[in-house]
């Protein structure tokens, strides 16, 4: 009774301090979902087009395609010559970028407010009018292979994610990394790419968010003008995404000639995005491994000094989930010891629970993280698109904190037991080449 | 008919939509509002109100940074230790207290200052300020915590050695600023091991001075919270007498060349093309920065359009200008395919050198202006960006009003100015290239100039295998090789004459040398190149040089002293030079000799005959530090001695090759002072 009262008061105080983000939604006849959010702080406007396509939507022998489009979408369209998209935006004093993950490909622009039509026009042109042709494809094929070199093959522990995913999600749609297999990219034909584009790049598979300093009515007219004429309103044909059971306790040791220090990576399966357990698991992960007051840092780095780094990487996925804990060894510490220490800290939570103070701490950290990750117009646009895409509920931008605040100490213990205790896992030991 | 009309409308609409839209109205930019004040104890105070979220931010700058530290690594460790114990609170209690309220506090050292950033929800501000006050006014610098931090710092250094970007970045600093310059510092493991608690306390005491600090408060603050923050910093000393003086000397860039670190297993080469650049406040800084944008502007810079979008050599090209207070460097950078490393450098060089070979077009000028003004203005929705920009600029001596008027200056930049600054700073004779990559690319780099090898500790002259010889052994073997000490000692005077050719920028000219040395450190030398003579006289501690009829008395230095000896290299072990055998490479043994004033010369000896094969050193000239290499191409026996009969000396400006003859103990009628 006392605990619930504290939580209620805490939640009330949150509602008093946080300032709600107001938005309007509409759906065009062709299925394009649009969200408008006005923020007149500065004469800046941001657009985000969130396509619901990521690496999980690829065929397992044609990986890297979703990410390839993150590059190709800046090539020519029926109305825009090669290399001009970036030039138009930069010349308007604007900024552009894009990212791809397992579940999404997101295109982002930020421009001075008077240029609001420019990103809308570009997005409408490339939504259905992209030229998937030889020059663009060959150029980007070279660039993407260099990106893989830079991010994966030339980095210490660079192969970790590929190895982790291929074991943790074995046989499933999350078993390969977004960057894809270099051979799949090398061997992809123009037709392969064109088929992928035609299937996934269409209004019914996209969310457009406009955020910043603009006039609502005029902008609504621009949206109708540029996107209203796009007629394709089919849904994409998708692979059936099955959650493949994971039934092994797998350990592999890798000699890495680029790794400076020994490191252990321990991957577990976890709850999928937005599920009840998802919020508890995020808080548990923070308690264990986020920041210098987290349990793993305190024990492994600060107290015992057997590691120089101890942290975690969440795998927040639409249809599945996971978490990777990792520690980088100090000196000659055996990786087996680090692994046992991590397991021991997890067990402690499952057996002894956590204090209210510790729970409150992680909720406070989450609250400020949520606030500061929705500070500028682009961040807000991305969040609104994400909440719409995964939960069909953009209002979560204001209310998601309530979900975290409703978590109890028992919830934390339960997810620890459910996902991390006596569970199958993937352990990757990285050893520097002597 | 109706159908035709609808079709016509549809076609017209499509054509309309196919056209690039125009901006809808003027862009009324207004610089964000801010206030600059001063606290009672003279700390500059910047205030920016931003009430979008119930958060208050504090940004505190302490001047000096790594550039003023007495031992390398002290500023970094001081910054790290501020949160590792303060007042009665332990490191863990501080971390738990701040995390407990979701506040974040980061303190880091940069080249010019230490900067502390606190971000906290307003409802927890009081608690956060309690801790902040202790950290600023009463850090404990606990010895046990320092040992932990040192351990983490050392592992971070080890990790950096595996990271090609960190290797390239550290080597770039040395190449641009020279060894031992305040801006070329980066800690090695041995530096961290030497740091003690007193070093941190002394640094903190000296630089935490009100007139060496600046404070920014931004976010949703109240008058009451400003007063509380002011109270915290009111105790900081404002004693004029102890105000630290911060100055950084001029850089001493290393010679033009390729600076290479071998990274085993690299599938890419990390390339940096570098040029020394002026201070943040220099008149030329903004126009040179404009050149940086032409090269490196995100998706429209020349490197992106060529290196990535035309050739697919790289994923991530970049370029620009650093922004340190006292001196900077211009850079173009890319991680490129290993097999096209040399082609990539050619593309980068071509793009940079084109900046001064021809003026940029009006289209490109306007395009870059729009890019720069847009990037500048759009960041202003973010109060943390505005605070950092104004605070950093003020701290580096550029007033906030100058920051505000940036757009006016940008608008007025002409292509001729851009080209002039490129001519001044991006000259081919100043380019330095840093490459981190696999051994296989090394030979392809030689076409760009001399390749200097460094190891992953950023120590020069990498690639040697251990030698069993020490410097005494090596010089003894050399002395034996040229005739033995007993024969060398018999020589009281040495006359060297030579004939050959000099090559000055492709022109070959007849050259003659007359050189007479006498015991007691006396030398007369005359080098005649196509009738133009340079003479040199050294008489113990007096030196004169006459070049083309202009005579000048010089100060004696270590190089002149060594040059005036009859067999200088033979006598190195008796000199004040610090000697070290670096090791063996390609059938040569390398000896490093560092003069008392710090000039380094590398002597390469044949590992079977022990004759001297080459020597290379750097000399300060009006063109900057230049590399002088002398190769001893042939040896001939003269009397009892074996001496070089053919030599070639090379500098970036000219070279000469001479056939030499020797006479011993002649009595030349030479005065070792110029005739009056």
């Amino acid at each position: 009774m006392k605990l619930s009262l504290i939580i209620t008061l805490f939640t009330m105080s949150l509602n008093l301090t946080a300032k709600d983000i107001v938005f309007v939604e509409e759906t065009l006849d062709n299925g394009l979902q649009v969200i408008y959010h006005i923020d007149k702080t500065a004469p800046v406007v941001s657009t985000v087009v969130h396509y619901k396509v990521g690496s999980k939507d690829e065929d397992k022998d044609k990986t890297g395609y979703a990410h390839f489009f993150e590059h190709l979408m800046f090539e020519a369209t029926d109305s825009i010559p090669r290399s001009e998209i970036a030039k138009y935006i930069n010349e308007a004093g604007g900024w552009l970028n894009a990212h791809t993950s397992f579940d999404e490909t997101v295109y982002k622009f930020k421009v001075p407010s008077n240029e609001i039509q420019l990103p809308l026009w570009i997005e409408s042109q490339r939504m259905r009018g992209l030229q998937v042709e030889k020059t663009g494809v060959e150029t980007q094929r070279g660039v993407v292979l260099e990106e893989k070199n830079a991010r994966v093959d030339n980095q210490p522990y660079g192969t970790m994610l590929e190895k982790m995913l291929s074991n943790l999600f074995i046989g499933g749609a999350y078993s390969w990394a977004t960057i894809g297999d270099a051979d799949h990219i090398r061997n992809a034909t123009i037709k392969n790419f064109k088929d992928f584009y035609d299937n996934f790049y269409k209004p019914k598979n996209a969310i457009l968010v406009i955020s910043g300093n603009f006039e609502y009515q005029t902008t609504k007219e621009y949206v109708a003008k540029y996107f209203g004429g796009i007629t394709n309103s089919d849904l994409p044909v998708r692979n059936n995404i099955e959650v493949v059971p994971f039934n092994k306790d797998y350990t592999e040791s890798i000699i890495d000639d680029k790794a400076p220090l020994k490191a252990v990576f321990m991957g577990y399966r976890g709850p999928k995005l937005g599920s009840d357990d998802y919020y508890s698991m995020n808080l548990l992960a923070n308690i264990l491994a986020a920041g210098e007051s987290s349990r793993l840092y305190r024990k492994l780095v600060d107290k015992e000094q057997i590691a120089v780094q101890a942290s975690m990487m969440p795998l927040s996925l639409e249809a599945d989930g996971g978490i990777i804990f990792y520690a980088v060894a100090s000196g000659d510490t055996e990786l087996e010891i680090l692994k046992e220490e991590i397991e021991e800290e997890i067990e402690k939570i499952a057996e002894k629970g956590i204090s209210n103070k510790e729970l409150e701490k992680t909720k406070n950290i989450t609250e400020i993280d949520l606030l500061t990750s929705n500070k500028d117009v682009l961040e807000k646009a991305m969040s609104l698109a994400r909440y719409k895409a995964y939960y069909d509920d953009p209002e979560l931008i204001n209310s998601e904190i309530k979900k975290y605040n409703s978590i109890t100490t028992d919830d934390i213990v339960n997810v620890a037991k459910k996902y991390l205790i006596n569970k199958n896992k993937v352990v990757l030991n990285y050893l520097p080449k002597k | 008919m109706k159908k035709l009309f609808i079709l016509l409308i549809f076609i017209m609409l499509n054509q309309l939509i196919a056209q690039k839209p125009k901006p809808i109205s003027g862009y009324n930019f207004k610089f964000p509002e801010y206030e600059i004040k001063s606290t009672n104890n003279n700390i500059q105070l910047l205030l920016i109100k931003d009430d979008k979220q119930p958060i208050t931010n504090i940004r505190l700058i302490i001047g000096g940074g790594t550039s003023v530290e007495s031992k390398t690594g002290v500023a970094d460790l001081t910054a790290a230790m501020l949160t590792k114990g303060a007042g009665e609170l332990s490191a863990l209690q501080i971390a738990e207290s701040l995390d407990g309220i979701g506040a974040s506090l980061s303190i880091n050292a940069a080249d010019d200052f230490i900067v502390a950033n606190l971000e906290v929800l307003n409802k927890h501000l009081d608690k956060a300020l309690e801790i902040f006050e202790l950290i600023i006014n009463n850090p404990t610098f606990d010895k046990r915590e320092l040992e932990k931090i040192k351990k983490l710092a050392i592992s971070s250094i080890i990790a950096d050695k595996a990271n090609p970007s960190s290797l390239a970045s550290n080597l770039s600093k040395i190449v641009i600023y020279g060894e031992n310059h305040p801006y070329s510092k980066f800690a090695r493991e041995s530096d961290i091991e030497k740091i003690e608690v007193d070093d941190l306390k002394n640094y903190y005491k000296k630089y935490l001075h009100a007139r060496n600090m600046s404070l920014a408060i931004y976010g949703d603050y109240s008058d009451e919270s400003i007063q509380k923050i002011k109270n915290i910093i009111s105790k900081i000393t404002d004693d004029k007498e102890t105000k630290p003086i911060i100055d950084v000397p001029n850089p001493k860039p290393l010679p033009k060349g390729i600076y290479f670190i071998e990274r085993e297993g690299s599938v890419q080469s990390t390339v940096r093309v570098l040029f020394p650049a002026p201070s943040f406040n220099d008149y030329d800084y903004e126009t040179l920065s404009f050149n940086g944008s032409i090269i490196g502007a995100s998706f429209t810079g020349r490197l992106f359009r060529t290196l990535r979008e035309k050739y697919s050599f790289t994923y991530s090209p970049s370029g620009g200008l650093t922004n340190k207070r006292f001196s900077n460097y211009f850079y173009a950078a890319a991680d490129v395919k290993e097999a096209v490393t040399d082609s990539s450098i050619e593309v980068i060089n071509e793009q940079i050198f084109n900046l001064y070979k021809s003026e940029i077009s009006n289209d490109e000028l306007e395009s870059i202006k729009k890019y720069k003004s847009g990037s500048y203005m759009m960041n202003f929705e973010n109060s943390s960006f505005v605070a950092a920009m104004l605070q950093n600029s003020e701290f580096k001596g550029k007033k906030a009003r100058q920051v505000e008027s940036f757009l006016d200056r940008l608008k007025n930049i002409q292509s001729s100015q851009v080209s002039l600054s490129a001519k001044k700073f991006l000259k081919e004779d100043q380019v330095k290239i840093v490459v981190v990559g696999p051994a296989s690319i090394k030979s392809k780099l030689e076409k760009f100039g001399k390749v200097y090898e460094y190891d992953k500790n950023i120590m020069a002259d990498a690639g040697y295998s251990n030698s069993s010889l020490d410097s005494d052994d090596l010089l003894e073997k050399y002395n034996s090789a040229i005739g033995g000490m007993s024969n060398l000692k018999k020589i009281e005077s040495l006359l060297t004459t030579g004939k050959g050719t000099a090559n000055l920028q492709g022109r070959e000219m007849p050259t003659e040398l007359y050189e007479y040395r006498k015991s007691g450190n006396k030398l007369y030398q005359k080098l005649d190149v196509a009738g133009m003579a340079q003479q040199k006289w050294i008489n113990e501690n007096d030196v004169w040089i006459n070049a083309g009829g202009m005579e000048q008395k010089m100060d004696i230095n270590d190089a002149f002293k060594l040059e005036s000896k009859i067999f200088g290299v033979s006598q190195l072990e008796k000199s004040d030079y610090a000697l070290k055998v670096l090791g063996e490479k390609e059938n040569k043994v390398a000896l490093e000799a560092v003069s008392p004033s710090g000039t380094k010369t590398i002597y390469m000896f044949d590992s079977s005959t022990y004759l001297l094969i080459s020597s290379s050193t750097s000399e300060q000239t009006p063109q900057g530090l230049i590399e002088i290499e002398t190769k001893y191409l042939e040896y001939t026996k003269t009397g009892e001695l074996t001496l070089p009969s053919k030599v070639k000396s090379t500098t970036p400006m000219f070279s000469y090759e001479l056939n030499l003859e020797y006479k011993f103990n002649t009595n030349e009628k030479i005065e070792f002072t110029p005739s009056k």
Side-chain angles (χ1 to χ4, degrees):
Chain A
M1 180 66 191
K2 207 173 177 184
L3 180 67
S4 62
L5 181 66
I6 290 168
I7 290 168
T8 312
L9 285 173
F10 186 73
T11 313
M12 280 174 66
S13 71
L14 274 177
N15 290 338
L16 285 174
T17 51
K19 296 182 180 177
D20 279 357
I21 292 163
V22 180
F23 56 89
V24 176
E25 288 186 79
E26 74 165 331
T27 303
L28 303 191
D29 291 344
N30 56 20
L32 178 69
Q33 293 169 314
V34 189
I35 300 173
Y36 304 86
H37 161 65
I38 293 175
D39 173 349
K40 301 224 168 187
T41 310
V44 174
V45 68
S46 197
T47 66
V48 158
V49 176
H50 179 122
Y51 287 96
K52 292 186 254 185
V53 55
S55 57
K56 77 158 184 315
D57 299 302
E58 297 159 349
D59 293 340
K60 64 176 185 302
D61 55 353
K62 289 177 184 165
T63 64
Y65 284 28
H67 170 258
F68 196 84
F69 272 87
E70 180 195 317
H71 288 251
L72 208 55
M73 286 284 274
F74 293 91
E75 290 287 335
T77 76
D78 294 342
S79 324
I80 306 174
R82 260 203 93 210
S83 308
E84 293 296 290
I85 290 180
K87 192 164 168 250
Y88 291 160
I89 291 293
N90 280 167
E91 284 183 352
W95 172 95
L96 62 116
N97 214 331
H99 75 254
T100 313
S101 76
F102 300 98
D103 300 307
E104 66 190 32
T105 311
V106 179
Y107 299 87
K108 301 165 267 196
F109 288 120
K110 195 166 158 185
V111 292
S113 293
N114 62 325
E115 292 281 7
I116 185 170
Q117 288 190 88
L118 181 63
L120 295 174
W121 172 68
I122 292 170
E123 292 296 11
S124 68
Q125 293 299 309
R126 64 186 182 181
M127 185 172 278
R128 284 303 323 134
L130 186 73
Q131 288 185 357
V132 184
E133 50 74 50
K134 193 165 181 257
T135 312
V137 166
E138 292 314 321
T139 304
Q140 296 311 324
R141 206 192 298 270
V143 173
V144 166
L145 291 172
E146 271 326 285
E147 182 179 357
K148 185 170 189 298
N149 274 338
R151 289 187 194 272
V152 180
D153 302 333
N154 213 32
Q155 293 299 325
Y157 321 112
T159 55
M160 187 281 292
L161 193 63
E162 282 180 2
K163 284 183 181 294
M164 183 60 76
L165 296 169
S166 66
N167 287 294
L168 197 59
F169 299 101
I170 188 165
Y174 292 113
S175 65
W176 56 89
T178 307
I179 193 89
D181 185 311
D183 282 338
H184 296 175
I185 295 295
R186 276 189 204 102
N187 298 333
T189 63
I190 301 272
K191 184 177 181 311
N192 292 151
F193 286 135
K194 194 146 182 20
D195 289 348
F196 191 88
Y197 175 70
D198 286 340
N199 189 30
F200 290 106
Y201 281 76
K202 43 193 164 192
K204 216 164 193 170
N205 197 38
I207 296 153
L208 165 68
V209 184
I210 305 159
S211 161
N213 194 341
F214 60 89
E215 295 306 322
Y216 171 64
Q217 202 53 45
T218 325
T219 304
K220 210 166 138 41
E221 286 163 19
Y222 295 147
V223 169
K225 173 179 160 187
Y226 292 119
F227 293 92
I230 300 174
T231 50
N232 187 323
S233 57
D234 300 338
L235 274 171
V237 178
R238 288 185 191 277
N239 294 335
N240 188 20
I241 309 295
E242 282 179 36
V243 177
V244 181
F246 174 58
N247 293 317
K248 65 176 181 178
D249 206 339
Y250 176 79
T251 299
E252 183 182 340
S253 293
I254 301 107
I255 307 288
D256 183 350
D257 61 359
K258 296 177 192 71
L261 299 162
K262 287 188 277 188
V264 61
F265 298 83
M266 298 165 65
Y268 296 82
R269 290 282 279 273
K272 72 171 195 171
L273 202 66
S275 62
D276 288 345
D277 285 348
Y278 169 77
Y279 296 100
S280 308
M281 188 70 173
N282 278 352
L283 295 185
L284 168 64
N286 286 342
I287 289 166
L288 273 168
E292 291 188 12
S293 71
S294 68
R295 291 191 176 207
L296 290 181
Y297 187 94
R298 270 160 45 193
K299 179 90 181 287
L300 276 64
V301 181
D302 191 66
K303 191 175 167 204
E304 297 187 0
Q305 297 179 52
I306 53 176
V308 294
Q309 250 190 77
S311 194
M312 56 90 190
M313 289 174 242
L315 294 167
S316 303
L317 307 170
E318 186 178 21
D320 208 329
I323 185 162
I324 303 167
F325 294 101
Y326 66 92
V328 180
S330 172
D332 293 331
T333 309
E334 292 299 325
L335 294 180
E336 187 61 24
I337 293 174
L338 294 183
K339 177 184 154 248
E340 285 168 8
E341 292 281 357
I342 291 172
E343 286 172 337
E344 194 181 305
E345 285 305 308
I346 294 170
E347 278 160 19
K348 262 190 212 164
I349 289 184
E351 284 166 18
K352 297 179 182 168
I354 61 161
S355 66
N356 284 330
K357 196 177 160 196
E358 206 169 9
L359 181 63
E360 190 185 329
K361 178 187 85 172
T362 188
K363 285 179 181 176
N364 279 334
I365 294 173
T366 305
E367 183 189 1
I368 198 160
D369 282 351
L370 285 172
L371 277 176
T372 52
S373 63
N374 287 315
K375 226 171 180 179
D376 70 31
V377 293
L378 174 66
E379 289 165 343
K380 286 189 275 189
M382 285 166 60
S383 292
L384 287 165
R386 201 169 53 242
Y387 289 121
K388 179 73 184 170
Y390 297 118
Y391 310 93
D392 194 23
D393 184 9
E395 178 55 31
L396 278 172
I397 198 169
N398 298 312
S399 61
E400 193 177 32
I401 185 65
K402 290 177 193 163
K403 292 193 181 267
Y404 284 104
N405 282 329
S406 69
I407 305 296
T408 65
T409 53
D410 287 345
D411 294 331
I412 302 287
V413 171
N414 289 339
V415 287
K417 286 179 179 163
K418 185 171 171 185
Y419 295 97
L420 306 178
I421 298 295
N422 300 322
K423 289 293 162 189
N424 293 318
K425 61 185 167 295
V426 177
V427 180
L428 300 177
N429 294 316
Y430 272 78
L431 305 161
K433 192 176 174 184
K434 283 186 182 161
Chain B
M1 183 65 190
K2 196 176 170 187
K3 261 188 183 171
L4 187 65
F5 181 71
I6 290 169
L7 187 65
L8 196 65
I9 293 282
F10 185 73
I11 291 168
M12 282 171 66
L13 192 65
N14 268 349
Q15 279 174 347
L16 196 67
I17 292 171
Q19 286 170 5
K20 181 182 168 226
K22 293 193 167 79
I24 48 175
S25 62
Y27 188 28
N28 296 321
F29 168 73
K30 192 167 157 283
F31 197 89
E33 287 184 9
Y34 66 93
E35 271 185 274
I36 291 184
K37 296 177 170 180
S38 190
T39 63
N40 290 339
N41 57 339
N42 286 311
I43 294 177
Q44 191 187 59
L45 176 64
L46 169 71
L47 298 171
I48 300 173
K49 187 78 178 163
D50 173 4
D51 60 3
K52 269 189 286 186
Q53 292 179 318
I55 292 173
T56 296
N57 295 76
I58 297 173
R59 188 172 188 271
L60 185 70
I61 282 182
I62 304 166
T66 56
S67 71
V68 296
E69 60 196 6
S70 55
K71 291 181 186 173
T72 303
V74 164
D76 274 320
L77 293 197
T78 303
M81 282 293 289
L82 287 174
T83 55
K84 300 295 172 198
E88 297 296 312
L89 296 182
S90 68
L92 182 59
Q93 285 169 323
I94 290 174
E96 282 187 333
S97 305
L98 289 172
D99 284 351
I101 53 173
S104 69
L105 173 63
S106 65
I107 308 183
N108 296 297
D111 291 301
D112 291 315
F113 40 69
I114 286 179
V115 59
N117 275 296
L118 174 70
E119 179 170 68
V120 61
L121 286 165
N122 285 343
K123 63 185 178 185
H124 299 309
L125 180 64
D126 285 351
K127 177 73 187 161
L129 288 181
E130 276 174 32
I131 300 161
F132 190 67
E133 176 167 18
L134 288 173
I135 284 170
I136 295 304
N137 293 324
N138 198 12
T140 46
F141 296 116
D142 178 73
K143 191 166 186 290
R144 236 168 47 89
E145 290 295 334
L146 176 62
E147 291 310 312
K148 287 186 202 168
I149 289 287
K150 281 165 74 171
K151 208 168 168 184
L152 295 182
I154 286 172
S155 40
S156 163
I157 291 168
I158 294 169
D160 276 352
K161 284 194 253 181
N163 182 317
S165 294
S166 302
L167 290 170
S169 166
N170 286 339
L171 182 53
S172 296
K173 290 197 262 184
I174 287 188
V175 169
I176 286 294
Y177 295 108
E179 301 261 10
N180 305 319
H181 186 273
Y183 281 163
S184 68
K185 285 179 184 172
F186 55 88
R188 299 181 172 100
E189 289 104 312
S190 55
D191 295 318
I192 298 297
E193 278 157 9
K194 286 177 204 152
I195 293 172
E196 291 166 9
V197 163
D198 281 348
D199 297 319
L200 310 190
K201 285 183 176 169
N202 291 339
Y203 181 98
Y204 178 77
K205 193 175 164 196
K206 185 168 178 184
Y207 295 102
L208 195 92
H209 187 290
R211 289 173 195 239
N212 187 40
M213 295 172 71
S214 151
L215 174 72
I217 304 171
Y218 57 96
D220 190 19
Y221 55 76
S222 63
D223 289 346
E224 191 194 350
S225 54
I226 291 175
Q227 194 50 51
K228 283 178 185 166
I229 297 164
K230 278 183 179 175
N231 288 344
I232 289 175
I233 55 170
S234 65
K235 294 161 196 159
I236 295 170
T237 181
D238 179 33
D239 176 7
K240 279 186 198 167
E241 298 294 311
T242 58
K243 185 193 171 189
I245 293 163
I246 292 167
D247 196 14
V248 168
N250 288 333
K252 289 185 178 170
L254 300 191
K256 176 183 174 178
I258 298 277
Y259 293 83
F260 177 67
I261 298 175
E262 182 189 331
R263 183 174 181 260
E264 196 186 341
S266 257
V267 295
Q268 286 185 316
S269 300
T270 300
V271 175
R272 304 275 186 274
V273 176
L274 311 160
F275 300 83
S279 73
F280 185 69
N281 288 311
D282 191 276
Y283 175 80
D284 288 311
Y285 184 87
E286 282 183 357
T287 38
L288 189 59
S289 168
F290 199 95
N291 276 300
S293 299
I294 296 171
I295 288 295
S298 62
F299 290 89
T300 45
R302 290 185 183 183
L303 291 187
F304 188 89
R305 284 188 275 132
T306 53
L307 213 54
R308 173 169 152 157
E309 295 296 299
K310 186 172 175 188
Y311 300 110
S312 304
F313 287 169
T314 183
Y315 164 64
S316 54
S318 63
L321 197 55
T322 57
N323 58 0
K324 300 173 204 288
R325 183 174 174 185
F326 294 99
S327 60
N328 288 288
Y329 59 91
F330 183 101
Y331 66 92
D335 295 339
V336 302
K337 276 180 205 173
E338 171 253 326
V340 293
T341 307
D342 52 339
S343 310
S344 301
I345 293 172
E346 279 165 5
V347 173
I348 295 172
N349 281 349
E350 186 190 1
Q351 295 306 317
I352 293 177
F353 299 144
N354 277 345
L355 289 171
Y356 70 79
K357 286 181 180 160
S358 55
E359 281 187 12
I360 64 164
S361 67
N362 265 340
D363 279 355
E364 194 174 10
L365 181 80
E366 290 309 315
S367 164
I368 296 294
K369 279 186 184 181
K370 286 176 189 163
Y371 163 76
K372 282 183 84 77
S373 60
S375 319
Y376 172 80
M377 291 186 290
M378 281 196 306
N379 279 314
F380 287 169
E381 66 159 327
N382 185 339
S383 54
S384 64
F385 176 88
V386 182
M389 184 177 68
L390 287 173
Q391 201 184 11
N392 293 357
S393 295
E394 282 269 343
F395 208 77
K396 292 175 192 171
K398 187 180 270 183
K399 291 285 167 203
R401 63 175 182 278
Q402 286 176 277
V403 177
E404 272 194 70
S405 58
F406 170 73
L407 286 182
D408 296 330
R409 292 195 300 282
L410 182 69
K411 202 163 70 185
N412 292 325
I413 285 184
Q414 307 292 316
S415 53
S416 56
Q417 288 173 286
V418 176
S419 173
L420 266 178
S421 85
K423 273 187 186 125
K424 190 169 171 185
F425 294 102
L426 307 178
K427 289 180 290 194
E428 290 190 47
D429 64 358
Q430 290 297 311
V431 65
K432 294 133 204 340
I433 300 169
V434 166
V435 180
V436 178
S440 56
I441 61 169
K442 200 187 128 192
S443 60
K444 292 182 190 169
L445 300 175
E446 283 162 3
K447 63 180 158 188
F448 299 106
K450 182 167 175 178
V451 178
Y452 300 90
E453 285 188 66
Y454 282 68
D455 63 18
K456 287 180 185 166
N457 293 309
I458 324 291
M459 300 298 281
D461 309 307
Y464 295 105
S465 59
N466 285 341
S467 170
S468 56
L469 301 173
D470 63 17
S471 57
D472 284 357
D473 299 334
L474 180 59
L475 289 172
E476 199 178 318
K477 284 180 183 291
Y478 165 70
N479 287 337
S480 300
I482 62 171
M485 272 317 280
S486 59
N487 286 321
L488 292 171
K489 278 181 181 168
K490 289 176 193 163
I491 311 300
E492 295 284 325
S493 71
L494 174 66
L495 174 66
T496 309
T497 54
K499 282 189 179 180
T501 51
N503 188 313
L504 182 64
Q505 291 173 340
R507 283 179 59 208
E508 293 217 330
M509 289 168 285
T511 300
E512 288 190 15
L513 173 75
Y514 178 94
E515 200 174 63
Y516 185 58
R517 286 184 176 84
K518 203 169 172 182
S519 56
N521 296 350
K522 294 173 194 296
L523 164 78
Y524 170 70
Q525 183 192 71
K526 182 180 179 186
L527 185 70
D528 189 311
V529 182
M532 291 280 286
Q534 177 182 290
Q535 297 178 83
K536 188 189 289 176
W537 298 263
I538 304 178
N539 192 349
E540 292 189 69
N541 291 322
D542 296 313
V543 183
W544 297 264
I545 288 179
N546 184 321
M550 297 281 287
E551 191 174 297
Q552 197 182 355
K553 189 160 190 321
M554 314 282 288
D555 292 332
I556 188 82
N557 62 28
D558 302 320
F560 288 140
K561 280 183 192 168
L562 192 67
E563 192 183 6
S564 66
K565 293 183 193 299
I566 295 180
F567 297 107
V569 178
S570 294
Q571 297 179 54
L572 272 173
E573 57 180 313
K574 291 180 195 157
S575 69
D576 296 335
Y577 278 60
L579 303 176
K580 188 168 104 185
V581 174
L582 298 173
E584 292 195 25
K585 184 162 66 174
E586 295 161 0
N587 302 321
K588 287 175 250 179
V589 188
L591 175 73
E592 178 190 86
V594 181
S595 75
S597 61
T599 304
K600 192 196 290 180
T601 306
I602 305 290
Y603 296 98
M604 303 295 284
F605 298 88
D606 186 293
S607 60
S608 52
T609 66
Y610 294 102
L611 290 169
L612 183 61
I613 294 173
S614 68
S615 68
S616 54
T617 190
S618 304
E619 194 170 291
Q620 199 63 43
T621 71
Q623 285 76 35
L625 202 64
I626 62 161
E627 180 81 6
I628 302 170
E629 185 178 42
T630 304
K631 287 185 177 168
Y632 303 92
L633 302 169
E634 288 174 15
Y635 276 80
T636 308
K637 196 156 185 185
T638 307
E640 298 298 318
L641 302 185
T642 302
L643 298 173
S645 52
K646 191 173 192 177
V647 298
K648 183 175 183 181
S649 194
T650 308
T651 75
M653 282 85 77
F654 73 99
S655 65
Y656 63 79
E657 190 169 314
L658 296 170
N659 292 310
L660 301 176
E661 289 181 0
Y662 301 91
K663 286 182 182 170
F664 307 132
N665 298 328
T666 59
N667 199 8
E668 302 296 305
K669 294 200 182 320
I670 294 292
E671 294 293 327
F672 294 96
T673 56
S675 54
K676 289 180 180 164

